[in-house]
Amino acid sequence: MAQANDPHIPNPIITVNGVQIVAQGGEYVIDALNRLKLELPQVCYHPQLGPLQTCDTCVVEIGGKLLRACSTPVQEGMVVRTEVSAAKVAREEAFDRILGNHELYCTVCDNNNGNCTVHNTVAKVGSEHQNRPFLPKPYELDTSNPFYRYDPDQCILCGRCVEACQNLQVNETLSINWESANPRVLWDGGQPIGDSSCVSCGHCVSVCPCNALQEKSMLHEAGLFTGIPLPMFQSAVAVVKNIEPTLGYTPILGISEIESAGREGYISKTKTVCTYCGVGCTFDVWTKDRHILKVEPEHGPANGVSTCVKGKFGWDYSTSKDRLTSPLIRETDALGTSFFREASWDEAISLIAWRMNEIKAQHGPDALAFVISSKGTNEESYLKQKLARQIIGTNNVDNCSRYCQSPATQGLWRTVGYGGDSGTIKDIEAARLVLTVGSNTAESHPVLATRVKRAHKLHGQELIVVDLREHELAQRADVFLRPNPGTDFVWLNAVSRHILETGRAHSDFLDQWVNGLDEFRASLEGYTLEAAEQQTGLTQAQLRDLSDRLVAASDDPQRGGVCILWAMGVTQQMGGSETSTAISNLLLLTGNYMRPGTGAYPLRGHNNVQGASDFGAMPDMVSGYQKLSDEAVRDKFSRAWNCEIRAERGLDNSQMIDAAISGKLKALYLTGEEMSLTDSDSGHVANGLGALEFFVVQDIFFSHTAQFADVVLPASPALEKEGTFTSTERRIQRLYQVMPPLKGSKPDWEIYQLVAQALGGDWNYSHPGEIMAEAAALTPLFGGVTYERLEGYQSLCWPVNADGSDTPLLYTKGFAFPDGKARLYPARYVPRIQPPTAEFDLHLNSGRMLEHFHEGNMTFRVEGIAARIPDAFVEVSPELAAERGVRDGMYVRLVSPNGAIRLRALITDRVSGKEVYVPLNARVSEDTVNFLTGQGRDINTNTPAYKDTSVRMEVLGERGGTPLPRTDHRYARRTPQNGVEVERKWARPDYVYPGDGLGLMEGASLNRRVDEFGSGDD
């Protein structure tokens, strides 16, 4: 069905209860009624799920017939009546059937929070008693998932959870056995939740309209009476159940509403932005003091009701007992043994200021460097780079985008002008074809992947995946291609050349909007299909087919076209910038910019890795990518900050380690990055950190990197501060303080201000909003960004004009170059430098897992996640395992020229041949994959070439248990179907359309019911 507000569908005039209104083209009647704020019951309907038609509580009279408002599209001249007797009786009958499936005990229910759909519908329907008594179902409570439980006795079989799982998350785990005498929700056809393919994304729990699916963190915590001991609780439930039929629902539910209102005094609901990947999910966090009751998504512009396991359930790290609560200073005893002691904030800040001033005086400002956290806010990124440039006088500033996304940014700067996604997730959904390259999207960016999976499953979107490893999106793809490692650049340019040679480039687009075609064409001379086949391992037929699909999906400028998504599989190579450039070149060649449903999408890995760079955490640019080489930029900031801003490019974070080893860099101030484990060649990094004269680490935990520090400062996580994050969509969103900072810790921006003041800076910020106002005033890219325009769930996609208008889709009127034209950039191949050899004969790949985030500092502190993925391991292909005598769970040692790690093997066909894969997360630092990776770097950005690593495997013979517990969802078999499949419910012999004794649906018999009850309003 078309979407509401579809410009291709006229807005019809309909009459509702005698009043004419203008509906929105393509919407359902229920949406129009909801916009009028009519109190129409609707238990199964959810606007983000669409019509399920399982509950029948939204029946209205339309043109003399009783129809479901949720599934009836508006039409010109339609007459809708909600209060006719027949419709009201039908709704009451439908809701009575629901109550027959539900054990009603609202007063002592943890879900009695004012938002229980079943509870609220009792009042809307005006029901006082149940005609169909509740009968317990012959099923046990399922508590096998670590995060939520399913209570069949509370389940009303609305199917919201099934629809959300099948057609929104598209994990395809849940179904309902409609043909059973006692239907219930099933996981993989009847498995315990904990043994099923459930990925704990939380969609089902978030959309459940009652307490059938509920977070375990809510149980016995939310209500005034719900925390009583279990036997007393069960007795209280029995009392409530017994009283309700006698007194009727109105007085009993009145008590429950009083109890619910009482919860408002101690339950807080605060909007925040997810602190894991770069998708930018937003939601309300419910807390009772410092206890996190639940995460409730609904209004987020990027995610709606969607979350992943980390965003929904992965917040225990914020309240972990491991949190730092005092500054620490390194001391050395009489025997020369170093240790850390607690210190006051005044002492720690004074020491930092003294040592920084001393080093600056002795060695100059460039002896100091600053690394900024991609977990911090935009305002914090801005402040720390200001601290470096204004207070210290150095441009030695960087952030972790150097480890992942800088090459993608470089490729886009070269070709189209802005270093960010050219559209939003809605454009990815609207594309006719999505091509992912080097991206395990379903695990690294799970909520974004749900939109791709949904468009592919329901709307015919074509999906092509190019990767070394067969992950979930590869399994679902129409075409899955496995090129040789490090050769994406070759096949991309071969496809571009083939499209040009066959005369299928988008000539009109190129003529009007693109420069450099002749030079680009000449640079493709060596990239024939034959040469590409030899280098990439992809056949000429595969490359021709790929070209044909891309061209076919680009042929209609009035429709969506091609979106290309890429990530670390592309960027973490010697030629990461060149391959990113090749992706953008291909999109230009086929005309896939400047319109909805097209464009380039480098998927940002951290929650604010985009924003950290946007707000100036770079060695050669200040906020908004204003170049320090530009005298006008320097003058502007020099005047605003009352200092001299230097033009010289500073050190990036890779160069900082080299400079520390050489003795050039003396001091480093690092915030919120596990640099010793996430930078390439961890042994080399350790040498660099150890060589520093003075090292400050600011973090929420005593990390592995903090072991090298001289001073450790206790920071506050996102839940304990305000500010903004910028997502991969370029979307700026506010986060609010969910709970006060843990005693002894402080938000990063407050710490930076203390350091700046101790160094003589005149800083007096009282709120992050003041910092944003300063940044916006100096940065044209954010000219119209204000906290007022970001209030609540409002967001802005940069560039933001002074009037507050933003730019969800870039390049609608031209590209970000002086002449408004894009630039095809000549191809330049940079091959890998560490291919397999006789000694190191295996190619090492690495990346994220769904459950953990990066090295796992946050997620290993979430008990349910740590139990699911307890440690690191190495994936070994069945053929390699057979060749080397490796069995599942056997210990092996991976050795590279840079180091060695010991892991258990997991035999899986997700990898093939002589590829091995090691997840980034490791419980023990010695098992971290970056002890193997080397010093190769992208030639333009210095991004480490993590993916250019060869190893050998030594089989140790020891055997432990399988490193991936058998309860893991990856072992299970999904049960895909088309949503809730309500037709199977309608086919049940006991199903009767409400108000229709003959059981016929939406036909002439319903007119008899209208006649019987009367069509006049009460």
Side-chain angles (χ1 to χ4, degrees):
M1 173 176 176
Q3 298 295 310
N5 292 314
D6 188 327
H8 299 92
I9 300 177
N11 292 334
I13 296 175
I14 67 174
T15 301
V16 178
N17 294 338
V19 179
Q20 282 192 343
I21 67 165
V22 178
Q24 295 180 357
E27 71 178 347
Y28 294 105
V29 170
I30 200 165
D31 297 315
L33 299 182
N34 288 340
R35 205 165 48 254
L36 290 175
K37 294 184 168 49
L38 286 176
E39 291 291 310
L40 183 73
Q42 47 196 283
V43 174
C44 74
Y45 182 71
H46 191 290
Q48 294 180 47
L49 300 178
L52 306 187
Q53 306 182 81
T54 58
C55 74
D56 299 331
T57 59
C58 66
V59 169
V60 296
E61 185 205 291
I62 301 176
K65 297 180 181 180
L66 295 182
L67 303 176
R68 299 182 185 93
C70 71
S71 58
T72 305
V74 295
Q75 295 180 6
E76 180 68 34
M78 176 180 281
V79 177
V80 181
R81 296 196 291 177
T82 66
E83 297 304 306
V84 297
S85 298
K88 293 173 71 174
V89 169
R91 294 197 295 264
E92 291 168 7
E93 182 179 340
F95 189 61
D96 194 65
R97 293 176 186 172
I98 287 174
L99 292 181
N101 275 319
H102 185 73
E103 197 171 17
L104 204 67
Y105 52 86
C106 301
T107 305
V108 290
C109 175
D110 284 289
N111 202 50
N112 183 37
N113 303 299
N115 63 346
C116 175
T117 303
V118 171
H119 174 281
N120 296 341
T121 304
V122 173
K124 287 183 180 180
V125 172
S127 179
E128 286 293 337
H129 298 284
Q130 288 180 230
N131 296 318
R132 295 171 176 81
F134 167 76
L135 294 175
K137 302 182 184 77
Y139 305 115
E140 297 293 326
L141 196 73
D142 191 335
T143 62
S144 59
N145 183 278
F147 304 111
Y148 68 92
R149 65 100 175 98
Y150 172 60
D151 187 348
D153 279 345
Q154 298 304 94
C155 180
I156 61 173
L157 301 173
C158 68
R160 278 191 186 184
C161 59
V162 175
E163 181 70 20
C165 181
Q166 290 284 343
N167 288 345
L168 184 55
Q169 158 69 15
V170 198
N171 201 58
E172 300 174 317
T173 300
L174 273 61
S175 61
I176 295 176
N177 54 342
W178 291 116
E179 293 76 19
S180 171
N182 293 284
R184 58 155 286 175
V185 176
L186 301 176
W187 279 254
D188 291 345
Q191 296 297 312
I193 301 172
D195 294 336
S196 74
S197 61
C198 171
V199 294
S200 299
C201 65
H203 283 67
C204 59
V205 187
S206 294
V207 301
C208 181
C210 58
N211 63 338
L213 287 160
Q214 197 163 15
E215 299 89 343
K216 288 183 175 180
S217 53
M218 283 281 287
L219 299 178
H220 310 302
E221 291 283 353
L224 294 169
F225 309 121
T226 59
I228 57 180
L230 190 59
M232 293 176 62
F233 176 79
Q234 292 169 335
S235 298
V237 171
V239 169
V240 173
K241 286 161 50 183
N242 290 334
I243 292 176
E244 282 173 338
T246 304
L247 296 181
Y249 290 142
T250 298
I252 296 300
L253 295 185
I255 296 173
S256 73
E257 287 167 6
I258 293 172
E259 193 272 346
S260 174
R263 300 183 186 192
E264 298 297 323
Y266 59 85
I267 292 180
S268 298
K269 303 169 187 177
T270 312
K271 182 248 184 174
T272 194
V273 184
C274 188
T275 190
Y276 283 106
C277 80
V279 172
C281 295
T282 50
F283 29 67
D284 285 347
V285 180
W286 292 34
T287 52
K288 185 172 72 173
D289 297 324
R290 294 189 68 85
H291 175 72
I292 298 172
L293 291 166
K294 71 170 179 174
V295 163
E296 185 177 60
E298 185 174 2
H299 305 295
N303 62 303
V305 298
S306 296
T307 46
C308 73
V309 58
K310 298 184 291 292
K312 179 72 172 177
F313 300 113
W315 295 89
D316 290 353
Y317 74 89
S318 293
T319 55
S320 169
K321 295 179 180 178
D322 294 340
R323 286 278 305 276
L324 290 171
T325 57
S326 172
L328 303 175
I329 294 176
R330 182 187 294 276
E331 299 281 8
T332 303
D333 63 19
L335 299 177
T337 303
S338 65
F339 62 94
F340 285 93
R341 65 168 176 84
E342 292 188 354
S344 69
W345 274 98
D346 286 345
E347 182 186 10
I349 296 297
S350 296
L351 175 60
I352 292 170
W354 172 61
R355 290 292 286 130
M356 285 187 172
N357 276 328
E358 181 182 49
I359 291 170
K360 179 180 176 181
Q362 292 179 358
H363 304 285
D366 289 338
L368 295 92
F370 299 79
V371 174
I372 295 170
S373 175
S374 61
K375 293 284 175 215
T377 64
N378 290 322
E379 294 76 9
E380 289 165 343
S381 296
Y382 176 84
L383 273 198
K384 194 171 186 185
Q385 61 93 29
K386 180 179 179 180
L387 171 64
R389 293 183 165 111
Q390 181 201 43
I391 306 298
I392 299 298
T394 183
N395 288 323
N396 292 340
V397 177
D398 208 3
N399 73 91
C400 85
S401 68
R402 190 70 49 193
Y403 299 145
C404 52
Q405 283 302 320
S406 292
T409 302
Q410 180 75 17
L412 294 177
W413 278 338
R414 287 172 168 175
T415 53
V416 290
Y418 282 130
D421 288 5
S422 49
T424 68
I425 295 171
K426 293 186 184 302
D427 290 292
I428 297 173
E429 290 182 84
R432 291 167 64 188
L433 185 152
V434 166
L435 168 62
T436 75
V437 187
S439 171
N440 182 1
T441 318
E443 298 200 58
S444 297
H445 303 88
V447 169
L448 188 150
T450 68
R451 281 28 180 185
V452 175
K453 293 189 290 184
R454 177 180 173 89
H456 182 248
K457 178 178 181 178
L458 300 184
H459 306 306
Q461 184 181 84
E462 196 170 1
L463 176 60
I464 300 175
V465 172
V466 183
D467 212 323
L468 304 183
R469 184 168 168 266
E470 189 178 16
H471 42 69
E472 181 189 346
L473 225 56
Q475 294 167 348
R476 294 179 178 274
D478 299 293
V479 176
F480 172 42
L481 302 175
R482 266 180 158 149
N484 293 330
T487 62
D488 290 322
F489 178 88
V490 175
W491 67 259
L492 282 161
N493 283 289
V495 166
S496 290
R497 172 176 169 150
H498 182 64
I499 290 172
L500 279 168
E501 281 186 335
T502 53
R504 293 180 297 166
H506 199 307
S507 57
D508 291 343
F509 181 85
L510 292 171
D511 290 344
Q512 183 176 1
W513 293 111
V514 183
N515 292 322
L517 176 59
D518 291 341
E519 186 179 2
F520 176 64
R521 190 196 304 268
S523 74
L524 299 179
E525 180 180 356
Y527 296 95
T528 64
L529 295 184
E530 295 82 0
E533 182 178 51
Q534 292 178 357
Q535 292 190 63
T536 68
L538 303 178
T539 67
Q540 295 181 51
Q542 287 175 316
L543 295 173
R544 288 193 187 94
D545 177 65
L546 177 56
S547 303
D548 293 345
R549 291 173 184 267
L550 291 170
V551 170
S554 309
D555 62 3
D556 187 349
Q558 302 305 314
R559 300 170 59 195
V562 175
C563 289
I564 301 183
L565 286 54
W566 74 101
M568 295 186 295
V570 167
T571 59
Q572 292 178 341
Q573 305 272 2
M574 292 293 298
S577 294
E578 307 306 321
T579 304
S580 297
T581 303
I583 289 172
S584 190
N585 282 338
L586 178 58
L587 288 166
L588 289 170
L589 207 63
T590 52
N592 280 293
Y593 277 110
M594 302 189 76
R595 57 192 171 96
T598 64
Y601 298 86
L603 303 181
R604 307 309 194 186
H606 289 247
N607 61 300
N608 203 41
V609 70
Q610 180 72 54
S613 295
D614 291 347
F615 280 79
M618 303 185 75
D620 56 347
M621 300 180 188
V622 284
S623 55
Y625 303 100
Q626 299 174 88
K627 296 180 180 180
L628 290 170
S629 58
D630 186 331
E631 185 177 359
V633 169
R634 296 197 308 276
D635 287 347
K636 176 173 62 174
F637 278 84
S638 295
R639 288 193 303 271
W641 291 351
N642 193 28
C643 68
E644 180 183 350
I645 300 297
R646 297 167 57 195
E648 300 88 355
R649 185 188 192 278
L651 299 173
D652 62 44
N653 47 18
S654 294
Q655 293 169 331
M656 291 174 192
I657 296 299
D658 296 339
I661 292 174
S662 69
K664 177 182 176 182
L665 186 69
K666 306 296 182 179
L668 177 63
Y669 185 177
L670 172 77
T671 305
E673 297 292 346
E674 185 66 287
M675 193 172 185
S676 64
L677 300 180
T678 57
D679 198 348
S680 189
D681 193 352
S682 293
H684 177 73
V685 177
N687 291 337
L689 298 179
L692 291 166
E693 288 186 11
F694 187 62
F695 183 27
V696 179
V697 169
Q698 189 165 301
D699 212 323
I700 62 175
F701 302 116
F702 190 82
S703 63
H704 184 268
T705 305
Q707 297 175 23
F708 297 91
D710 296 287
V711 179
V712 180
L713 300 176
S716 301
L719 294 187
E720 296 176 2
K721 59 188 172 186
E722 295 198 22
T724 61
F725 291 152
T726 304
S727 73
T728 190
E729 297 180 292
R730 299 171 285 106
R731 188 182 300 279
I732 306 171
Q733 302 180 99
R734 277 187 73 173
L735 55 145
Y736 295 82
Q737 183 176 287
V738 173
M739 58 185 75
L742 186 65
K743 186 177 180 180
S745 70
K746 295 180 185 294
D748 292 319
W749 71 269
E750 292 187 16
I751 301 173
Y752 298 151
Q753 178 153 281
L754 290 174
V755 172
Q757 290 170 340
L759 288 165
D762 184 21
W763 288 19
N764 293 289
Y765 303 103
S766 61
H767 187 270
E770 298 172 5
I771 306 169
M772 176 59 80
E774 177 183 315
L778 291 169
T779 313
L781 204 64
F782 315 126
V785 176
T786 67
Y787 267 37
E788 290 73 25
R789 288 171 176 155
L790 296 171
E791 188 73 29
Y793 280 88
Q794 296 180 88
S795 64
L796 295 167
C797 295
W798 62 254
V800 183
N801 300 315
D803 62 2
S805 58
D806 67 339
T807 319
L809 181 65
L810 290 175
Y811 316 124
T812 56
K813 298 178 181 179
F815 292 90
F817 292 112
D819 62 357
K821 290 189 175 185
R823 302 169 179 176
L824 286 165
Y825 193 89
R828 176 191 177 191
Y829 183 34
V830 182
R832 52 187 176 154
I833 60 171
Q834 198 183 82
T837 63
E839 180 181 4
F840 301 105
D841 61 332
L842 307 178
H843 178 261
L844 172 69
N845 193 6
S846 62
R848 296 196 177 103
M849 296 190 73
L850 171 67
E851 294 83 357
H852 282 291
F853 189 80
H854 220 77
E855 77 289 330
N857 274 357
M858 297 187 294
T859 47
F860 274 120
R861 289 175 167 88
V862 180
E863 183 178 347
I865 290 177
R868 288 284 177 169
I869 308 292
D871 213 340
F873 53 85
V874 54
E875 291 185 352
V876 178
S877 69
E879 55 267 37
L880 182 62
E883 175 189 309
R884 306 290 171 91
V886 179
R887 296 189 297 277
D888 210 54
M890 184 176 285
Y891 279 95
V892 300
R893 180 179 290 112
L894 298 181
V895 183
S896 80
N898 308 294
I901 58 176
R902 176 178 172 271
L903 301 169
R904 282 181 290 170
L906 178 70
I907 313 304
T908 173
D909 56 9
R910 283 189 288 273
V911 292
S912 65
K914 291 190 173 183
E915 300 287 329
V916 293
Y917 178 86
V918 178
L920 295 173
N921 50 272
R923 186 183 289 273
V924 180
S925 61
E926 289 78 9
D927 295 338
T928 305
V929 67
N930 284 321
F931 281 102
L932 302 176
T933 52
Q935 286 295 296
R937 297 170 185 171
D938 174 70
I939 61 170
N940 297 286
T941 66
N942 281 335
T943 295
Y946 297 92
K947 303 299 189 286
D948 183 11
T949 302
S950 295
V951 298
R952 70 171 183 264
M953 182 171 65
E954 299 173 357
V955 182
L956 302 179
E958 309 167 59
R959 194 167 184 186
T962 177
L964 198 63
R966 291 297 173 186
T967 54
D968 187 83
H969 67 88
R970 294 167 180 83
Y971 293 111
R973 185 179 297 274
R974 300 185 181 98
T975 51
Q977 62 183 46
N978 188 16
V980 72
E981 296 188 348
V982 67
E983 295 83 2
R984 291 166 52 202
K985 174 181 178 176
W986 296 342
R988 288 178 58 90
D990 60 352
Y991 175 75
V992 178
Y993 190 82
D996 183 4
L998 299 177
L1000 300 176
M1001 294 178 52
E1002 303 183 350
S1005 65
L1006 292 180
N1007 295 333
R1008 291 198 292 273
R1009 300 299 290 171
V1010 173
D1011 293 339
E1012 178 181 345
F1013 288 104
S1015 61
D1017 295 343
D1018 284 354

